Amino acid sequence: MLKKIKPILVTLALLAYLIFTFAFVNRKSDAIMITGIDIDIIDSLNTRFICDSEIKNLVLKNHPNIIGTQAIKINKEHLEHTINKIPFVKNTEIYTTLKGCLHLNIEQRKPIVRILKGKGFYIDEEGKQMPLSSNYTSRVLVVSGHIKDKTIESDLMPLINFITKDEFWSSQINQIYVDSNNEYILIPRVGGQKIEMGKIDNYERKFLKLYALYKDGFSTVGWNKYKKINLKYENQVVCTKR
């Protein structure tokens, strides 16, 4: 009988210890005073669209007397929500250390394309628009020309994602131009050709044709022989010499 009861008693004792420890830590955390602010901006591209001082000023604007304030009196969720409203911020996590330091982990958005329409803007990897920044200009794919708002999501973003997620094309294609007929022209980093892709239809197939030309044709004649490459026609690539 004792053998059957013993595991139960041990479990209850352990549970009581955990409850006591949790309650003790909570009481201790509630009594912690804020002694400082530590900001960590997670930035995989080192773009620095936002800086520590900007975030610190925002914290102090919402809590002018934060130093010396009890940690329990700081509404961390509200502060996270406020910081997340900054268009360059993807996510914010805030916690208080046992030494009283208010720690902010901030993840920046990662732009993949710059759209030159109106004042211009970036679009990140999640399709969210970001304004241009006075702090930094990101070196990403550029789209210019006759850009229509209604085609950005339906036509442009699939093409942009295709280019930026491919190791070869992301290093090769520098710019996309949309002409008045809603046809697409690609500008490469190397060679200086105009690559006339035409309509957005079957763009993946057109890139296969272009890749075959790069791999088999340019390796023989060089990158600078042609000034224009036309991908509009079915099952062929038409090249115009310089």
Side-chain angles (χ1 to χ4, degrees):
M1 185 69 177
L2 185 59
K3 288 184 178 179
K4 292 181 179 180
I5 296 175
K6 188 176 180 180
I8 298 174
L9 293 174
V10 171
T11 302
L12 289 173
L14 181 60
L15 183 60
Y17 172 77
L18 291 174
I19 293 172
F20 173 80
T21 303
F22 182 74
F24 175 78
V25 170
N26 273 352
R27 285 197 300 271
K28 191 173 181 181
S29 297
D30 290 348
I32 290 174
M33 298 289 190
I34 301 297
T35 58
I37 301 171
D38 182 45
I39 299 167
D40 183 17
I41 298 176
I42 304 167
D43 183 6
S44 60
L45 296 178
N46 197 30
T47 52
R48 284 302 185 189
F49 285 121
I50 51 176
C51 57
D52 294 5
S53 59
E54 180 182 356
I55 300 300
K56 188 173 183 179
N57 289 338
L58 184 57
V59 173
L60 294 175
K61 182 180 178 181
N62 283 267
H63 299 278
N65 303 311
I66 193 169
I67 304 302
T69 299
Q70 280 186 302
I72 194 174
K73 294 182 179 179
I74 305 299
N75 189 333
K76 298 181 182 65
E77 288 186 2
H78 179 265
L79 191 55
E80 288 173 348
H81 180 70
T82 300
I83 295 172
N84 286 341
K85 287 182 178 179
I86 299 174
F88 303 111
V89 173
K90 182 177 181 179
N91 187 51
T92 305
E93 292 183 358
I94 301 175
Y95 63 90
T96 307
T97 67
L98 291 175
K99 292 184 178 180
C101 183
L102 188 72
H103 192 89
L104 295 85
N105 279 336
I106 298 172
E107 184 180 0
Q108 280 195 136
R109 293 195 176 277
K110 180 183 177 182
I112 60 172
V113 64
R114 181 178 180 180
I115 307 293
L116 300 183
K117 174 179 170 61
K119 294 182 178 180
F121 55 91
Y122 294 110
I123 299 178
D124 77 349
E125 53 196 344
E126 295 182 341
K128 303 289 186 182
Q129 291 189 14
M130 306 160 49
L132 301 184
S133 170
S134 58
N135 295 334
Y136 181 83
T137 300
S138 186
R139 300 186 67 178
V140 293
L141 181 67
V142 174
V143 180
S144 61
H146 302 263
I147 304 166
K148 300 174 183 177
D149 290 334
K150 63 181 181 180
T151 62
I152 290 177
E153 185 175 352
S154 61
D155 294 351
L156 262 178
M157 286 312 298
L159 177 61
I160 289 165
N161 284 322
F162 176 84
I163 293 172
T164 56
K165 290 179 179 179
D166 185 279
E167 185 177 357
F168 178 77
W169 295 122
S170 62
S171 62
Q172 177 61 16
I173 304 300
N174 187 46
Q175 186 172 345
I176 301 170
Y177 180 80
V178 186
D179 70 13
S180 57
N181 295 316
N182 204 34
E183 294 192 346
Y184 292 75
I185 299 169
L186 309 177
I187 309 297
R189 295 182 192 276
V190 180
Q193 302 92 2
K194 283 176 59 178
I195 303 170
E196 297 180 346
M197 195 176 74
K199 300 293 185 181
I200 196 71
D201 303 340
N202 300 317
Y203 66 87
E204 291 180 334
R205 206 165 160 188
K206 293 172 183 178
F207 272 97
L208 285 175
K209 294 193 295 182
L210 183 60
Y211 184 77
L213 175 65
Y214 275 32
K215 184 180 178 183
D216 301 324
F218 285 176
S219 61
T220 303
V221 302
W223 292 79
N224 297 307
K225 185 172 183 178
Y226 303 112
K227 66 179 181 180
K228 186 166 67 174
I229 300 169
N230 193 324
L231 305 173
K232 297 179 186 181
Y233 304 103
E234 188 72 20
N235 299 322
Q236 62 178 315
V237 178
V238 179
C239 299
T240 304
K241 293 181 180 180
R242 295 187 185 279

